[in-house]
Amino acid sequence: AQSVTQLDSQVPVFEEAPVELRCNYSSSVSVYLFWYVQYPNQGLQLLLKYLSGSTLVKGINGFEAEFNKSQTSFHLRKPSVHISDTAEYFCAVAAGNKLTFGGGTRVLVKP
Amino acid sequence: KAGVTQTPRYLIKTRGQQVTLSCSPISGHRSVSWYQQTPGQGLQFLFEYFSETQRNKGNFPGRFSGRQFSNSRSEMNVSTLELGDSALYLCASSLSPPGQGFTGELFFGEGSRLTVL
């Protein structure tokens, strides 16, 4: 069975500051990795995904994530956040026929 | 193209009643998954359908059920509602499910927010 742990439930950050959201997973088979974002009162949408190839993945809205197989991590980063980045972020792992989401990290961007 | 459509968007029920939620996936998508989202439990997987067959099921009681029609539209039903069933129910569609050429991109609807009084 696989599991996904998002180490921070909430991350407050000032506008134009960098942010990093941490995600660790466990799985006995090879995985695909994803980050989804949920803006207030909306469903989730895909930010970025790692399927294979380069371990540094770039997504929408200036976000990027790095897959580290030895540390089983897939941390999400943005060098300079905007007020509009206030949202909840979910890390997810697909292995075999199962997709598992982490508990989510709420990012609150302050002016 | 049109996104995933969920109806109704909001509904209020009382304990003991039953509810049916509907999900129309993106045209051409054959896989539909349902999730329950609450502040305390986060995002929890309910079930997944592909080509009218339930392929995966989460750890929910039998009061939660679902089905998928030949046009890929899906419904979920919750019987004998309890206060703890108050949640945002999210539907997501994809071209194929995990393990069958799955690209990992789920397309979510805006959800149906259920309040049980």
Side-chain angles (χ1 to χ4, degrees):
Chain A
Q2 69 230 39
S3 66
V4 183
T5 303
Q6 292 184 241
L7 297 163
D8 306 297
S9 60
Q10 292 190 67
V11 173
V13 57
F14 285 105
E15 194 174 15
E16 297 183 7
V19 70
E20 178 179 80
L21 308 184
R22 297 177 293 169
C23 173
N24 287 87
Y25 69 93
S26 67
S27 175
S28 57
V29 299
S30 57
V31 299
Y32 297 149
L33 298 158
F34 313 92
W35 277 98
Y36 284 82
V37 60
Q38 184 179 30
Y39 298 107
N41 300 314
Q42 294 187 27
L44 282 70
Q45 67 182 82
L46 184 69
L47 258 185
L48 48 80
K49 61 187 176 186
Y50 172 78
L51 303 183
S52 65
S54 173
T55 56
L56 183 62
V57 180
K58 292 190 185 298
I60 61 172
N61 301 339
F63 284 92
E64 64 180 31
E66 186 153 22
F67 170 50
N68 187 318
K69 189 174 182 179
S70 62
Q71 297 188 7
T72 59
S73 67
F74 191 54
H75 301 333
L76 180 71
R77 301 184 187 95
K78 185 169 182 177
S80 176
V81 295
H82 221 260
I83 294 287
S84 58
D85 292 322
T86 293
E88 188 159 18
Y89 294 79
F90 294 90
C91 182
V93 169
N97 66 346
K98 196 171 181 188
L99 180 66
T100 304
F101 284 89
T105 298
R106 286 189 182 276
V107 172
L108 175 61
V109 181
K110 304 176 185 179
Chain B
K1 55 183 176 183
V4 177
T5 304
Q6 290 189 246
T7 56
R9 287 292 314 280
Y10 302 91
L11 66 167
I12 300 173
K13 295 285 188 178
T14 56
R15 280 182 298 173
Q17 287 188 310
Q18 66 93 26
V19 67
T20 299
L21 308 178
S22 178
C23 172
S24 292
I26 290 173
S27 177
H29 285 194
R30 296 166 63 195
S31 176
V32 173
S33 301
W34 288 91
Y35 292 84
Q36 182 197 65
Q37 187 177 26
T38 59
Q41 299 295 319
L43 201 60
Q44 292 190 286
F45 172 72
L46 279 157
F47 23 66
E48 180 221 332
Y49 288 87
F50 181 72
S51 293
E52 300 179 67
T53 301
Q54 185 181 89
R55 287 172 24 96
N56 278 309
K57 189 177 193 304
N59 294 324
F60 279 82
R63 301 185 296 106
F64 291 80
S65 63
R67 59 179 176 168
Q68 187 180 34
F69 301 96
S70 58
N71 62 358
S72 295
R73 190 177 72 83
S74 177
E75 288 181 347
M76 65 163 284
N77 184 278
V78 187
S79 62
T80 321
L81 284 165
E82 300 177 0
L83 295 179
D85 297 333
S86 294
L88 180 66
Y89 290 88
L90 291 165
C91 168
S93 75
S94 65
L95 275 170
S96 54
Q100 293 187 21
F102 184 50
T103 62
E105 183 159 13
L106 292 183
F107 293 82
F108 283 82
E110 293 188 310
S112 293
R113 186 168 294 281
L114 170 65
T115 301
V116 182
L117 302 176

